[in-house]
Amino acid sequence: MNNDFDILIIDDESVIIDSIMKICKLNNLTADSAETYDIAIQKIKQNKYRLVICDIMLPDKDGFEILKSLGSIGYESPVIMITGYTTPEMAVKSIKLGAFDFLPKPFTIDELSAIIKRGITYSNLNRKKVQDQNNLLYVSCPSKYYRFGYNSWIKQDLQVNIISEGFSYGSFVTGVTDLFVKLTEGVRKIELLQINDKISQAAFSAYITDNDGLTHSFIMPLSCRIIDRNEKLIENPELIEKDPYFEGWFYKVIPTNIKDEMENLIQCSSDR
Amino acid sequence: MNGLNEIQFFRKIGLKLILIVSLTVVSIIGIYAYIKINYQTNCLLAEVERHANQLSETIKNSTRYGMLLNQREYVDEIVKTIGQDKTIDNIRIYNKEGRIIYSSNSKDLGKMLDKKAESCYACHAENKPLERLPIKQRTRIFKLGDKSPRIMGIINPIFNEKSCYEAECHAHPKNASVLGVLDITISLEEIDETIKQNEIQELIFTIVSILSIGIIISIFVKRWVDHPVKELVKATNQIAAGNLTYEIKEIGKDELGYLAKSFNNMTKKLYETQQQLFQSDKMASLGKLAAGVAHEINNPLTGVLTYSSYLMKRAKDNPELQEDLQVIVRETIRCRDIVRSLLDFSRQSSPKKNLININEIIKRTESVVHNQLSLNNIKLTKIFDNNLPQIAADQNQTQQVLLNLILNAIDAIGKKGGEIVIKTKQLSLPPKGYTHIKAALCPKNHNLIDNENKIAGMSSIRVKIKSGENEGNVFIDPIYGRAQHYFGIPIEKNSRISIHCPVCDISLIDRNLKCPVCGGPVFKFEVPGKGYVEMCASFNDDWQRWERIDNSGVRKFVEIEISDDGCGIPQEHLTHIFEPFFTTKGQKGTGLGLSVVWGIIDNHDGTISVKSEPGKGTTFSIKLPAENYE
């Protein structure tokens, strides 16, 4: 087993590879690169990377194929998807196929650094988990909750809340997972959106600044309209570290397209 | 296509009409003339006959005395004197044996006549006893030669009388019944001439009638049929060639005039639909372009962004350099936002709607352009409706729309200074023409919505129509009350029309209802949860009723009017201003501004229209729905 590199960058544009390499270097991480699907798969099989950063548009196959291939072999290291096609559909598909996170191009050093930090920390947690079992590293979300990737959770709040013909699904409450909080390693500040804002699934809808000054984005699990937000979080950011699943909720929302989007979520009960 | 010139001469409607009318006229006048001429001829001949008979009686009576006295010279003299009359051809008296004993023509005297000769045959028919004959049978008409005129002859038998056989001359025995025959022949030359003239007159009359009828019909056919048909053909050719703005001039108030009017109406609607299609088409291609461009630009931008921020981190000890690099980072992030908004627009992303107050947004937009307004000496007047309801709209997008329109107005006014007026008001419009029918079911719950055939970009409602012998589809306009239907088959006027579900063929006609406009049948379909939509099934008129929606009353809109007194927009540009990449600002503009505005308003289910007069100014008016029906 070869442990020369921490990160594998898959992209067909050398300027992107070079840029990410520089960012990795700033974070004291080493990086390898691959420009096609075939080379990437080959390198992943030969090396033990801690993190993979993958472009969606590749010359031979798209990045989703890499996600599927890695998913089928039970690959442990997190995969971050990046693309110039910055549509919510791309983000949703990435998360659904098991990506650790999604970042639209162009990104700043800080935006990528934040995600790399979480990815590497997650990778380290995974290795620790393998080393000493039974040690609870993070709290997984309660049953009856649904999670969107590793990032956020959502659960039904009020059973029936018919507002009009279109809105008859009741309200939901949403927040970040304990894993996400653990990966940020210390929350300093939380920024929330306004009530009544309409958000689409996988859109960045809250910003959490950690102790290193890096800003992490909360992604919305379902397309929705915000009807309430947790004002206590703004004054008291550490609430999400203490109780991310109850007191540390972010928003109360009314989903707008629950029928089509529910399938992109994972039932937390299946994690146990 | 040559149009009407391709029609062969003998196939033209005008000629056909003239031919058929002429034929009728010829037959009627011909029969009439024939009967008339016949009648006249008969009258004339009868007159001549009567005249000849009278003459013959006169001669007989005037010679009677001479005969009785056996004064032959006296009789001869009378015969000759009377025979001098021009019309009289000959006067002859035969004796019983058939010898001519008196004649106006002395050469005939003494000649014998065969009893079988034509003049004698009437009385001396074979084996028949001598009879007293009526005048008709005593008359004969004959010709002496091919070129000689016709002659009428009349014989008058001289019967035996007591005074005859008792006369002193004892020339006649008592038992003879007929003593001789007076034969007068009269020339018919004059009469024939009259008859001929009559015939010629009738012929001339007939020809003149046909000619004048032909000319009158052709003049009116030209005026009522030829000219309008030519106009219509010209118009269809223009439409076929793609000139959808062609309009037929007023060509009368008859059926063809009505056809021309509905033709104009059709082209107008076609034009509108085409414009809408063009717009959607352009938006779609712009979308593809933007997506492609965005992806291509995002990669190099990533390079610029990471390298510049990398440099910035390395230049911590050089504040001046760091400041410059900060500008690069900031501007690159601005580029990123521009590309993202372009992509958002190209995907026609559904707006993030919040409840907003348009008046507030206008005030906020004003503060953004405040400097530019004062720099150009432009006064901004706001006439606000303070009771304006809040509307569900994307705040940023709405502001973008307003900003765009105000900046355009500033450009239009230029350096000379002027005024921009922004008016807001509430509007209530009836649901007709605005409500979108999004679901439709037949009584057996088959879906009638047809996603493949769209009308003005929206899925139509497909029903089956049976009209006369024909059967086909009608694609109903999904906007309630707009009635821009598309007919798969021509509908025969006044034919029996029935409407059916295209899936199960069940009739959609409601027998209990009659169209209040034309009295024809009415069909209906169900909009689940929202009652029934009823429409006139003969499509003679646009009558529609949707009780549930009609009863829910008018829909509220917020109208924003932005007027300037700038240079205005020329008529030929007005139809293009919402097209992407259309610009009159040369290098100064991208031509995207108003197309983005159009896209945003369209995404809000609103409408935008423009009125402009070059030199006087331009007014954009935007209507946004005040209640969110989604």
Side-chain angles (χ1 to χ4, degrees), chain A residues 13 16 18-19 22-23 84-88 104-107 109-111 196-198, chain B residues 291 295 298-299 301-303 305-307 309-310 313 336 340 343 347 352-354:
Chain A
E13 282 236 17
I16 304 292
D18 290 347
S19 303
K22 287 246 182 292
I23 297 171
Y85 286 105
T86 56
T87 65
K105 288 179 193 172
F107 38 76
I109 289 183
D110 288 347
E111 281 166 357
N196 261 334
D197 280 356
K198 268 192 174 181
Chain B
H295 181 232
N298 278 340
N299 276 335
L301 276 184
T302 311
L305 200 53
T306 40
Y307 274 86
S309 33
Y310 182 72
K313 283 189 196 297
R336 171 172 87 171
R340 283 203 184 147
L343 249 174
R347 287 189 294 109
K352 293 179 179 127
K353 286 181 184 170
N354 299 317

mmCIF file of all heavy atoms in Angstrom, chain A residues 13 16 18-19 22-23 84-88 104-107 109-111 196-198, chain B residues 291 295 298-299 301-303 305-307 309-310 313 336 340 343 347 352-354:
data_model
loop_
_atom_site.group_PDB
_atom_site.id
_atom_site.type_symbol
_atom_site.label_atom_id
_atom_site.label_comp_id
_atom_site.label_asym_id
_atom_site.label_seq_id
_atom_site.Cartn_x
_atom_site.Cartn_y
_atom_site.Cartn_z
ATOM 1 N N GLU A 13 -8.814 19.658 -16.729
ATOM 2 C CA GLU A 13 -8.192 20.961 -16.974
ATOM 3 C C GLU A 13 -6.999 21.136 -16.051
ATOM 4 O O GLU A 13 -7.137 21.096 -14.819
ATOM 5 C CB GLU A 13 -9.204 22.089 -16.721
ATOM 6 C CG GLU A 13 -10.172 22.253 -17.870
ATOM 7 C CD GLU A 13 -10.179 23.678 -18.423
ATOM 8 O OE1 GLU A 13 -9.221 24.441 -18.131
ATOM 9 O OE2 GLU A 13 -11.133 24.017 -19.133
ATOM 10 N N ILE A 16 -7.129 23.725 -13.239
ATOM 11 C CA ILE A 16 -7.895 23.351 -12.048
ATOM 12 C C ILE A 16 -7.029 22.484 -11.147
ATOM 13 O O ILE A 16 -6.958 22.686 -9.924
ATOM 14 C CB ILE A 16 -9.181 22.583 -12.442
ATOM 15 C CG1 ILE A 16 -10.038 23.406 -13.421
ATOM 16 C CG2 ILE A 16 -9.982 22.181 -11.215
ATOM 17 C CD1 ILE A 16 -10.640 24.632 -12.839
ATOM 18 N N ASP A 18 -3.804 22.368 -11.007
ATOM 19 C CA ASP A 18 -2.759 23.194 -10.398
ATOM 20 C C ASP A 18 -3.327 24.035 -9.254
ATOM 21 O O ASP A 18 -2.709 24.143 -8.190
ATOM 22 C CB ASP A 18 -2.133 24.120 -11.459
ATOM 23 C CG ASP A 18 -1.304 23.340 -12.466
ATOM 24 O OD1 ASP A 18 -1.020 22.155 -12.184
ATOM 25 O OD2 ASP A 18 -0.978 23.895 -13.536
ATOM 26 N N SER A 19 -4.513 24.620 -9.502
ATOM 27 C CA SER A 19 -5.118 25.454 -8.461
ATOM 28 C C SER A 19 -5.371 24.646 -7.201
ATOM 29 O O SER A 19 -5.040 25.076 -6.085
ATOM 30 C CB SER A 19 -6.444 26.040 -8.953
ATOM 31 O OG SER A 19 -6.243 26.766 -10.129
ATOM 32 N N LYS A 22 -2.299 23.818 -5.296
ATOM 33 C CA LYS A 22 -1.828 24.946 -4.484
ATOM 34 C C LYS A 22 -2.603 25.017 -3.162
ATOM 35 O O LYS A 22 -2.013 25.224 -2.104
ATOM 36 C CB LYS A 22 -2.035 26.252 -5.251
ATOM 37 C CG LYS A 22 -1.074 26.469 -6.398
ATOM 38 C CD LYS A 22 -0.165 27.663 -6.091
ATOM 39 C CE LYS A 22 0.792 27.975 -7.238
ATOM 40 N NZ LYS A 22 1.826 26.939 -7.467
ATOM 41 N N ILE A 23 -3.917 24.826 -3.269
ATOM 42 C CA ILE A 23 -4.753 24.891 -2.066
ATOM 43 C C ILE A 23 -4.361 23.777 -1.106
ATOM 44 O O ILE A 23 -4.252 23.979 0.122
ATOM 45 C CB ILE A 23 -6.254 24.813 -2.440
ATOM 46 C CG1 ILE A 23 -6.630 26.025 -3.304
ATOM 47 C CG2 ILE A 23 -7.137 24.768 -1.192
ATOM 48 C CD1 ILE A 23 -8.011 25.967 -3.916
ATOM 49 N N GLY A 84 -18.370 22.976 -13.327
ATOM 50 C CA GLY A 84 -18.701 24.292 -13.867
ATOM 51 C C GLY A 84 -20.183 24.418 -14.174
ATOM 52 O O GLY A 84 -20.715 25.512 -14.302
ATOM 53 N N TYR A 85 -20.858 23.251 -14.314
ATOM 54 C CA TYR A 85 -22.312 23.270 -14.510
ATOM 55 C C TYR A 85 -22.975 23.396 -13.150
ATOM 56 O O TYR A 85 -23.301 22.410 -12.505
ATOM 57 C CB TYR A 85 -22.780 21.992 -15.204
ATOM 58 C CG TYR A 85 -22.429 21.963 -16.669
ATOM 59 C CD1 TYR A 85 -21.386 21.173 -17.138
ATOM 60 C CD2 TYR A 85 -23.144 22.734 -17.576
ATOM 61 C CE1 TYR A 85 -21.050 21.156 -18.478
ATOM 62 C CE2 TYR A 85 -22.814 22.720 -18.929
ATOM 63 C CZ TYR A 85 -21.765 21.931 -19.371
ATOM 64 O OH TYR A 85 -21.448 21.922 -20.694
ATOM 65 N N THR A 86 -23.155 24.623 -12.754
ATOM 66 C CA THR A 86 -23.536 24.861 -11.359
ATOM 67 C C THR A 86 -25.042 24.830 -11.177
ATOM 68 O O THR A 86 -25.657 25.821 -10.823
ATOM 69 C CB THR A 86 -22.997 26.217 -10.906
ATOM 70 O OG1 THR A 86 -23.494 27.192 -11.824
ATOM 71 C CG2 THR A 86 -21.508 26.239 -10.917
ATOM 72 N N THR A 87 -25.648 23.678 -11.453
ATOM 73 C CA THR A 87 -27.098 23.600 -11.278
ATOM 74 C C THR A 87 -27.419 22.774 -10.037
ATOM 75 O O THR A 87 -26.653 21.894 -9.659
ATOM 76 C CB THR A 87 -27.758 22.938 -12.491
ATOM 77 O OG1 THR A 87 -27.320 21.584 -12.554
ATOM 78 C CG2 THR A 87 -27.380 23.641 -13.777
ATOM 79 N N PRO A 88 -28.574 23.048 -9.412
ATOM 80 C CA PRO A 88 -28.954 22.274 -8.222
ATOM 81 C C PRO A 88 -29.082 20.783 -8.546
ATOM 82 O O PRO A 88 -28.775 19.951 -7.699
ATOM 83 C CB PRO A 88 -30.324 22.855 -7.849
ATOM 84 C CG PRO A 88 -30.425 24.157 -8.551
ATOM 85 C CD PRO A 88 -29.549 24.087 -9.739
ATOM 86 N N PRO A 104 -19.562 24.174 -6.413
ATOM 87 C CA PRO A 104 -19.561 24.698 -7.780
ATOM 88 C C PRO A 104 -18.309 25.513 -8.074
ATOM 89 O O PRO A 104 -17.774 26.186 -7.199
ATOM 90 C CB PRO A 104 -20.819 25.575 -7.806
ATOM 91 C CG PRO A 104 -21.103 25.917 -6.402
ATOM 92 C CD PRO A 104 -20.550 24.826 -5.544
ATOM 93 N N LYS A 105 -17.832 25.422 -9.315
ATOM 94 C CA LYS A 105 -16.701 26.240 -9.757
ATOM 95 C C LYS A 105 -17.233 27.603 -10.177
ATOM 96 O O LYS A 105 -18.356 27.676 -10.663
ATOM 97 C CB LYS A 105 -16.037 25.598 -10.976
ATOM 98 C CG LYS A 105 -15.249 24.351 -10.701
ATOM 99 C CD LYS A 105 -14.706 23.886 -12.059
ATOM 100 C CE LYS A 105 -14.157 22.477 -11.991
ATOM 101 N NZ LYS A 105 -13.811 21.991 -13.339
ATOM 102 N N PRO A 106 -16.524 28.662 -10.139
ATOM 103 C CA PRO A 106 -15.207 28.771 -9.486
ATOM 104 C C PRO A 106 -15.372 28.950 -7.976
ATOM 105 O O PRO A 106 -16.327 29.538 -7.537
ATOM 106 C CB PRO A 106 -14.639 30.041 -10.119
ATOM 107 C CG PRO A 106 -15.836 30.855 -10.504
ATOM 108 C CD PRO A 106 -16.934 29.904 -10.774
ATOM 109 N N PHE A 107 -14.401 28.419 -7.264
ATOM 110 C CA PHE A 107 -14.475 28.502 -5.796
ATOM 111 C C PHE A 107 -13.265 29.282 -5.295
ATOM 112 O O PHE A 107 -12.245 29.405 -5.989
ATOM 113 C CB PHE A 107 -14.504 27.108 -5.170
ATOM 114 C CG PHE A 107 -13.621 26.119 -5.875
ATOM 115 C CD1 PHE A 107 -12.245 26.147 -5.692
ATOM 116 C CD2 PHE A 107 -14.160 25.173 -6.742
ATOM 117 C CE1 PHE A 107 -11.432 25.242 -6.357
ATOM 118 C CE2 PHE A 107 -13.340 24.273 -7.409
ATOM 119 C CZ PHE A 107 -11.973 24.302 -7.218
ATOM 120 N N ILE A 109 -10.228 29.881 -2.354
ATOM 121 C CA ILE A 109 -9.356 28.990 -1.574
ATOM 122 C C ILE A 109 -10.053 28.574 -0.287
ATOM 123 O O ILE A 109 -10.062 27.403 0.088
ATOM 124 C CB ILE A 109 -8.025 29.700 -1.250
ATOM 125 C CG1 ILE A 109 -7.206 29.825 -2.542
ATOM 126 C CG2 ILE A 109 -7.248 28.948 -0.171
ATOM 127 C CD1 ILE A 109 -5.834 30.433 -2.351
ATOM 128 N N ASP A 110 -10.716 29.564 0.341
ATOM 129 C CA ASP A 110 -11.347 29.283 1.634
ATOM 130 C C ASP A 110 -12.496 28.297 1.494
ATOM 131 O O ASP A 110 -12.685 27.419 2.334
ATOM 132 C CB ASP A 110 -11.835 30.580 2.279
ATOM 133 C CG ASP A 110 -10.659 31.405 2.788
ATOM 134 O OD1 ASP A 110 -9.543 30.835 2.846
ATOM 135 O OD2 ASP A 110 -10.861 32.585 3.101
ATOM 136 N N GLU A 111 -13.292 28.474 0.422
ATOM 137 C CA GLU A 111 -14.429 27.558 0.227
ATOM 138 C C GLU A 111 -13.949 26.120 0.086
ATOM 139 O O GLU A 111 -14.475 25.203 0.724
ATOM 140 C CB GLU A 111 -15.222 27.969 -1.020
ATOM 141 C CG GLU A 111 -16.154 29.146 -0.793
ATOM 142 C CD GLU A 111 -16.662 29.759 -2.086
ATOM 143 O OE1 GLU A 111 -16.249 29.318 -3.184
ATOM 144 O OE2 GLU A 111 -17.471 30.687 -1.998
ATOM 145 N N ASN A 196 -39.384 33.204 4.906
ATOM 146 C CA ASN A 196 -40.106 33.398 3.643
ATOM 147 C C ASN A 196 -39.245 33.189 2.406
ATOM 148 O O ASN A 196 -39.746 33.201 1.303
ATOM 149 C CB ASN A 196 -40.761 34.780 3.527
ATOM 150 C CG ASN A 196 -42.217 34.704 3.882
ATOM 151 O OD1 ASN A 196 -42.820 33.629 3.740
ATOM 152 N ND2 ASN A 196 -42.781 35.788 4.355
ATOM 153 N N ASP A 197 -37.923 33.030 2.602
ATOM 154 C CA ASP A 197 -37.084 32.733 1.439
ATOM 155 C C ASP A 197 -37.463 31.371 0.870
ATOM 156 O O ASP A 197 -37.797 30.449 1.614
ATOM 157 C CB ASP A 197 -35.603 32.710 1.840
ATOM 158 C CG ASP A 197 -35.027 34.113 1.934
ATOM 159 O OD1 ASP A 197 -35.775 35.059 1.600
ATOM 160 O OD2 ASP A 197 -33.864 34.256 2.335
ATOM 161 N N LYS A 198 -37.434 31.294 -0.452
ATOM 162 C CA LYS A 198 -37.691 30.002 -1.104
ATOM 163 C C LYS A 198 -36.362 29.405 -1.519
ATOM 164 O O LYS A 198 -35.557 30.061 -2.178
ATOM 165 C CB LYS A 198 -38.575 30.204 -2.347
ATOM 166 C CG LYS A 198 -40.050 30.062 -2.058
ATOM 167 C CD LYS A 198 -40.805 29.985 -3.368
ATOM 168 C CE LYS A 198 -42.275 29.698 -3.138
ATOM 169 N NZ LYS A 198 -42.973 29.605 -4.427
ATOM 170 N N ALA B 291 -25.241 28.128 -20.810
ATOM 171 C CA ALA B 291 -24.755 26.986 -20.035
ATOM 172 C C ALA B 291 -23.366 26.597 -20.520
ATOM 173 O O ALA B 291 -22.457 26.342 -19.714
ATOM 174 C CB ALA B 291 -25.721 25.818 -20.164
ATOM 175 N N HIS B 295 -19.841 27.081 -18.314
ATOM 176 C CA HIS B 295 -18.922 25.996 -17.978
ATOM 177 C C HIS B 295 -17.510 26.326 -18.433
ATOM 178 O O HIS B 295 -16.547 26.134 -17.701
ATOM 179 C CB HIS B 295 -19.400 24.705 -18.638
ATOM 180 C CG HIS B 295 -18.521 23.538 -18.320
ATOM 181 N ND1 HIS B 295 -17.987 22.730 -19.287
ATOM 182 C CD2 HIS B 295 -18.065 23.067 -17.134
ATOM 183 C CE1 HIS B 295 -17.228 21.815 -18.714
ATOM 184 N NE2 HIS B 295 -17.276 21.983 -17.405
ATOM 185 N N ASN B 298 -16.141 29.058 -16.179
ATOM 186 C CA ASN B 298 -15.950 28.706 -14.771
ATOM 187 C C ASN B 298 -14.587 28.087 -14.512
ATOM 188 O O ASN B 298 -13.988 28.338 -13.466
ATOM 189 C CB ASN B 298 -17.065 27.756 -14.309
ATOM 190 C CG ASN B 298 -18.311 28.532 -13.942
ATOM 191 O OD1 ASN B 298 -18.238 29.727 -13.683
ATOM 192 N ND2 ASN B 298 -19.449 27.859 -13.923
ATOM 193 N N ASN B 299 -14.075 27.294 -15.450
ATOM 194 C CA ASN B 299 -12.766 26.674 -15.243
ATOM 195 C C ASN B 299 -11.643 27.714 -15.177
ATOM 196 O O ASN B 299 -10.911 27.751 -14.180
ATOM 197 C CB ASN B 299 -12.493 25.620 -16.312
ATOM 198 C CG ASN B 299 -13.134 24.281 -15.941
ATOM 199 O OD1 ASN B 299 -13.347 24.010 -14.761
ATOM 200 N ND2 ASN B 299 -13.449 23.483 -16.927
ATOM 201 N N LEU B 301 -11.948 30.822 -14.568
ATOM 202 C CA LEU B 301 -12.196 31.682 -13.393
ATOM 203 C C LEU B 301 -11.675 31.027 -12.129
ATOM 204 O O LEU B 301 -11.152 31.700 -11.234
ATOM 205 C CB LEU B 301 -13.691 31.966 -13.240
ATOM 206 C CG LEU B 301 -14.282 33.118 -14.050
ATOM 207 C CD1 LEU B 301 -15.752 33.299 -13.692
ATOM 208 C CD2 LEU B 301 -13.516 34.410 -13.780
ATOM 209 N N THR B 302 -11.806 29.692 -12.056
ATOM 210 C CA THR B 302 -11.286 28.966 -10.889
ATOM 211 C C THR B 302 -9.796 29.223 -10.758
ATOM 212 O O THR B 302 -9.281 29.487 -9.657
ATOM 213 C CB THR B 302 -11.550 27.455 -11.037
ATOM 214 O OG1 THR B 302 -12.899 27.265 -11.387
ATOM 215 C CG2 THR B 302 -11.227 26.710 -9.774
ATOM 216 N N GLY B 303 -9.115 29.145 -11.930
ATOM 217 C CA GLY B 303 -7.672 29.416 -11.940
ATOM 218 C C GLY B 303 -7.373 30.808 -11.426
ATOM 219 O O GLY B 303 -6.564 30.987 -10.497
ATOM 220 N N LEU B 305 -9.175 32.817 -9.668
ATOM 221 C CA LEU B 305 -9.595 33.022 -8.283
ATOM 222 C C LEU B 305 -8.613 32.383 -7.301
ATOM 223 O O LEU B 305 -8.198 33.007 -6.320
ATOM 224 C CB LEU B 305 -11.002 32.449 -8.105
ATOM 225 C CG LEU B 305 -11.813 32.954 -6.925
ATOM 226 C CD1 LEU B 305 -11.875 34.472 -6.928
ATOM 227 C CD2 LEU B 305 -13.229 32.383 -6.978
ATOM 228 N N THR B 306 -8.227 31.126 -7.574
ATOM 229 C CA THR B 306 -7.339 30.458 -6.614
ATOM 230 C C THR B 306 -5.937 31.072 -6.658
ATOM 231 O O THR B 306 -5.349 31.321 -5.606
ATOM 232 C CB THR B 306 -7.238 28.938 -6.857
ATOM 233 O OG1 THR B 306 -7.181 28.719 -8.249
ATOM 234 C CG2 THR B 306 -8.416 28.217 -6.278
ATOM 235 N N TYR B 307 -5.440 31.345 -7.860
ATOM 236 C CA TYR B 307 -4.089 31.890 -7.938
ATOM 237 C C TYR B 307 -4.007 33.268 -7.298
ATOM 238 O O TYR B 307 -3.060 33.576 -6.573
ATOM 239 C CB TYR B 307 -3.599 31.935 -9.393
ATOM 240 C CG TYR B 307 -2.974 30.625 -9.807
ATOM 241 C CD1 TYR B 307 -3.745 29.587 -10.287
ATOM 242 C CD2 TYR B 307 -1.596 30.442 -9.688
ATOM 243 C CE1 TYR B 307 -3.186 28.382 -10.649
ATOM 244 C CE2 TYR B 307 -1.013 29.222 -10.053
ATOM 245 C CZ TYR B 307 -1.819 28.200 -10.531
ATOM 246 O OH TYR B 307 -1.247 27.026 -10.883
ATOM 247 N N SER B 309 -5.985 34.504 -4.954
ATOM 248 C CA SER B 309 -6.089 34.455 -3.493
ATOM 249 C C SER B 309 -4.860 33.772 -2.874
ATOM 250 O O SER B 309 -4.453 34.099 -1.770
ATOM 251 C CB SER B 309 -7.396 33.810 -3.028
ATOM 252 O OG SER B 309 -7.830 32.822 -3.899
ATOM 253 N N TYR B 310 -4.247 32.882 -3.657
ATOM 254 C CA TYR B 310 -3.002 32.229 -3.196
ATOM 255 C C TYR B 310 -1.896 33.273 -3.065
ATOM 256 O O TYR B 310 -1.196 33.332 -2.058
ATOM 257 C CB TYR B 310 -2.614 31.144 -4.199
ATOM 258 C CG TYR B 310 -1.390 30.365 -3.841
ATOM 259 C CD1 TYR B 310 -1.413 29.443 -2.789
ATOM 260 C CD2 TYR B 310 -0.197 30.523 -4.556
ATOM 261 C CE1 TYR B 310 -0.274 28.706 -2.468
ATOM 262 C CE2 TYR B 310 0.924 29.799 -4.239
ATOM 263 C CZ TYR B 310 0.888 28.890 -3.194
ATOM 264 O OH TYR B 310 1.999 28.171 -2.867
ATOM 265 N N LYS B 313 -2.384 35.483 -0.057
ATOM 266 C CA LYS B 313 -1.935 34.884 1.200
ATOM 267 C C LYS B 313 -0.411 34.969 1.325
ATOM 268 O O LYS B 313 0.108 35.101 2.409
ATOM 269 C CB LYS B 313 -2.398 33.431 1.283
ATOM 270 C CG LYS B 313 -3.868 33.308 1.634
ATOM 271 C CD LYS B 313 -4.244 31.869 1.935
ATOM 272 C CE LYS B 313 -5.741 31.656 1.893
ATOM 273 N NZ LYS B 313 -6.493 32.414 2.887
ATOM 274 N N ARG B 336 -17.981 35.671 -11.199
ATOM 275 C CA ARG B 336 -18.643 34.420 -10.854
ATOM 276 C C ARG B 336 -20.147 34.656 -10.651
ATOM 277 O O ARG B 336 -20.977 33.894 -11.147
ATOM 278 C CB ARG B 336 -18.009 33.867 -9.570
ATOM 279 C CG ARG B 336 -18.762 32.694 -9.000
ATOM 280 C CD ARG B 336 -18.020 32.075 -7.869
ATOM 281 N NE ARG B 336 -18.327 32.731 -6.589
ATOM 282 C CZ ARG B 336 -17.915 32.238 -5.409
ATOM 283 N NH1 ARG B 336 -17.176 31.148 -5.372
ATOM 284 N NH2 ARG B 336 -18.239 32.844 -4.301
ATOM 285 N N ARG B 340 -23.195 33.103 -12.758
ATOM 286 C CA ARG B 340 -24.251 32.330 -12.081
ATOM 287 C C ARG B 340 -25.628 32.891 -12.412
ATOM 288 O O ARG B 340 -26.573 32.137 -12.647
ATOM 289 C CB ARG B 340 -24.031 32.335 -10.575
ATOM 290 C CG ARG B 340 -22.926 31.354 -10.235
ATOM 291 C CD ARG B 340 -22.955 30.853 -8.827
ATOM 292 N NE ARG B 340 -21.776 29.998 -8.671
ATOM 293 C CZ ARG B 340 -21.099 29.868 -7.549
ATOM 294 N NH1 ARG B 340 -21.474 30.530 -6.474
ATOM 295 N NH2 ARG B 340 -20.059 29.074 -7.495
ATOM 296 N N LEU B 343 -26.564 31.856 -15.831
ATOM 297 C CA LEU B 343 -26.983 30.457 -15.821
ATOM 298 C C LEU B 343 -28.380 30.315 -15.226
ATOM 299 O O LEU B 343 -29.215 29.578 -15.737
ATOM 300 C CB LEU B 343 -26.000 29.642 -14.985
ATOM 301 C CG LEU B 343 -25.134 28.665 -15.763
ATOM 302 C CD1 LEU B 343 -24.109 28.038 -14.850
ATOM 303 C CD2 LEU B 343 -25.977 27.590 -16.412
ATOM 304 N N ARG B 347 -31.555 28.837 -17.268
ATOM 305 C CA ARG B 347 -32.344 27.677 -16.852
ATOM 306 C C ARG B 347 -33.766 28.093 -16.542
ATOM 307 O O ARG B 347 -34.574 27.281 -16.140
ATOM 308 C CB ARG B 347 -31.713 27.020 -15.626
ATOM 309 C CG ARG B 347 -30.440 26.275 -15.956
ATOM 310 C CD ARG B 347 -29.954 25.470 -14.779
ATOM 311 N NE ARG B 347 -29.529 26.332 -13.667
ATOM 312 C CZ ARG B 347 -30.203 26.454 -12.549
ATOM 313 N NH1 ARG B 347 -31.306 25.783 -12.370
ATOM 314 N NH2 ARG B 347 -29.765 27.255 -11.599
ATOM 315 N N LYS B 352 -37.285 32.805 -6.674
ATOM 316 C CA LYS B 352 -37.415 32.559 -5.230
ATOM 317 C C LYS B 352 -38.373 33.589 -4.688
ATOM 318 O O LYS B 352 -37.990 34.738 -4.429
ATOM 319 C CB LYS B 352 -36.051 32.666 -4.561
ATOM 320 C CG LYS B 352 -35.142 31.544 -5.004
ATOM 321 C CD LYS B 352 -33.774 31.634 -4.388
ATOM 322 C CE LYS B 352 -32.915 30.463 -4.855
ATOM 323 N NZ LYS B 352 -31.634 30.905 -5.422
ATOM 324 N N LYS B 353 -39.621 33.198 -4.549
ATOM 325 C CA LYS B 353 -40.656 34.184 -4.271
ATOM 326 C C LYS B 353 -40.810 34.471 -2.786
ATOM 327 O O LYS B 353 -40.885 33.554 -1.972
ATOM 328 C CB LYS B 353 -41.997 33.717 -4.841
ATOM 329 C CG LYS B 353 -42.060 33.828 -6.348
ATOM 330 C CD LYS B 353 -43.406 33.391 -6.869
ATOM 331 C CE LYS B 353 -43.422 33.407 -8.376
ATOM 332 N NZ LYS B 353 -44.611 32.766 -8.909
ATOM 333 N N ASN B 354 -40.830 35.738 -2.472
ATOM 334 C CA ASN B 354 -41.182 36.193 -1.132
ATOM 335 C C ASN B 354 -42.323 37.172 -1.286
ATOM 336 O O ASN B 354 -42.571 37.665 -2.379
ATOM 337 C CB ASN B 354 -40.017 36.933 -0.490
ATOM 338 C CG ASN B 354 -38.815 36.060 -0.353
ATOM 339 O OD1 ASN B 354 -38.934 34.899 0.032
ATOM 340 N ND2 ASN B 354 -37.663 36.601 -0.704
#
